[in-house]
Amino acid sequence: MSVKYIPVQWNNNKYIYDAVMLLGVGLFLYVFLYAAPGLLSHERPINPQVHNARAFGACAFVMLSVILCIGPLARLDPRFLPLLYNRRHFGVMTVFVAITHAGYIIDWYFAFSSSNKYEALLFANTSYGQLAGFPFEIFGIFALFTLIVLAATSHDFWMKFLSPPVWKRIHYLIYPAYLSVVAHVSFGILQDQQNHTFTVIFIGGAAAVGVLHLMAALHERRVDQAIKADAVDWVPVCDVAQMREGFARIKLLANGERVAVYLNEGKLSAISNACAHQNGPLGEGRIINCLVTCPWHGFQYDVTSGRSPAPFTEMVPTYNLKTDGAMVLLDPRANPPGTFVEPVPAPGREAKL
Amino acid sequence: MSDDNKPFFVGYLPVPQALRGLLLAICVLLVSGFAGFGLALGVAQDDPGEGAFRFDYGRQTVTGVIELTPYPLLRVTQGNERIKPGHTLMLAGGGKNNVDSRAIPLEGQLAQASGVILERGDLDMMQLRGGRGGLDAAEGAAPQMEVDQLGRWKLAGEICDGKCLAGAMRPGRGLAHKACANLCLLGGVPPVFVSTRPVEGSQFLLITGPDGERLPEKAYDYVAQFISLEGDVERRGDLLVLRMDPDTLEVLK
Ligand code: HEM
Ligand code: FES
């Protein structure tokens, strides 16, 4: 399957996803900007520019925290995979909210002087040698630029152009960017305020992101230990009896590659576990209409050849299999992507016609 | 890994029945969560204080003697209902700009100043209108102005830019505002020291370098922070001026 660089492939689920997300963000901003001031009994209100900047900055932080919780949640429980499906729209929306935050700050705090406001952003405070009073804006600038790069390269065109591994490495920059936001806030408003509601929400959000990632990593490690193979010619995968029609067993090879071994209509086939789209875990998908379907975005592959059905052109490597009694054995040398491999009958699991 | 009891989501197919309840719950949680955070954070905003531009007073015009500390002051000799003779006004231009080019040629002379007042408690400042309408020489001889020396003081507090603090920005102080304050001070807007304890009845002091020059570069690293410092205090009309000693600067927190 391929998106063929069509800007966005819309479907009902994406409409619903985006609508919910926009409603949430809209409500956050509306309540912060228009409902909250009425409840504050300030003798004179905060300047609207500062109020706006804070609303958009806080919103971007909450959005980013939610986005970063989705990945580990989906690793821990596949029922959360639908949240992963359209996550990039959430990310792009966050960038616009963050740019608005920076815009209000730059047009207010750094404007009205005889200097250029962007230059002023860099020279007005240069106390880099101290913790209190550190120019925390610089962390915001780094985060903003990183987010802009990620949003600009979020489209599938860039994934094809850069290749999924490179693309993925670039998109891991989201973690330094998030840490940078944490530093931005920790050196900034956290040291400044009297009311500590923001501190509590902020630490809670950042901790949720951290703890979920840790849990997902531990979970992943346990799974890896269970499926890791020694470096041998033919790698034992499992007993045929452990296989389930339409589903895969995943094997982690000594070279770090993962293979998805599928039982389909009583026959065994093996393809790479890494989806050609975004490296989604094909072995955690299932066979729908004779095609392996990726759990992340639904790309599909013929299980015997690793090829997407026409007119699509995606291909993943295939692997050779044999059986020894009831044991399924895997040749760890991958075939070139798209190579047809005759499926191996699974002893005792022949399809009932 | 997979389990056929668990529903399988594919984006372009309808959502499996078994997932609908969970997804609906997540949608409701997300939307109400965002609204809730918006409310919690919105109502957690600190009071920015009472400072403001007093456009409601209308344009104020008074006459007095121009003094340079080196930041320009107007020692009012002929006031109006709001601004009494004996009062000392700090002067600033529009935005983050000073009025040096207009005030320096008038040093020691009688001048008429016109503009809008910024006010926060007993701290105030005048933002002059542009051009000669804002500051111009006045007829008559300038009277001699007194400067009382109040000796050396050790004070704790915060260096702010006097204009934002007085109400040009709300909030106009604190670490989040440090870069902005520095930009004002670099522009020559009069800096103010906010003392935790009043000095001779006043909490706000115009602050300068040790020999009455502009705020020393070293002080910029400490703007908007809680510090202690020593310096000589003098009284000019009802305004205190602190000539700080940069070697005594210490961060307290
Ligand atoms: C050019 C980039 C940025 C600049 C110059 C900047 C500057 C600032 C400044 C000056 C404040 C303090 C505002 C105040 O309370 O008076 C602030 C607060 C904040 N910023 Fe940024 N920022 C930038 C980017 C970002 C980004 C990318 C994020 C998050 C995704 C972010 C999140 C926040 C948050 C959460 C706050 C605290 C909000 C609050 O006061 O309630 N900022 N930023
Ligand atoms: S469909 Fe996107 S990673 Fe497989």
Side-chain angles (χ1 to χ4, degrees), chain B residues 196-210:
Chain B
T196 42
R197 281 201 288 153
V199 178
E200 305 270 315
S202 178
Q203 210 195 336
F204 305 103
L205 302 90
L206 178 75
I207 179 170
T208 73

Side-chain angles (χ1 to χ4, degrees), chain A residues 12 72 100 236 297 336:
Chain A
N12 261 348
T100 310
H297 313 92

Side-chain angles (χ1 to χ4, degrees), chain A residues 13 45 47 54 112 194 298, chain B residues 11-12 45-46 50 96 170 175:
Chain A
N13 288 322
N47 281 129
R54 288 178 175 178
F112 314 117
Q194 310 297 314
Chain B
Y12 42 81
Q45 300 296 309
D46 291 329
E50 55 179 347
K96 290 166 156 37
R170 287 190 308 276
L175 276 182

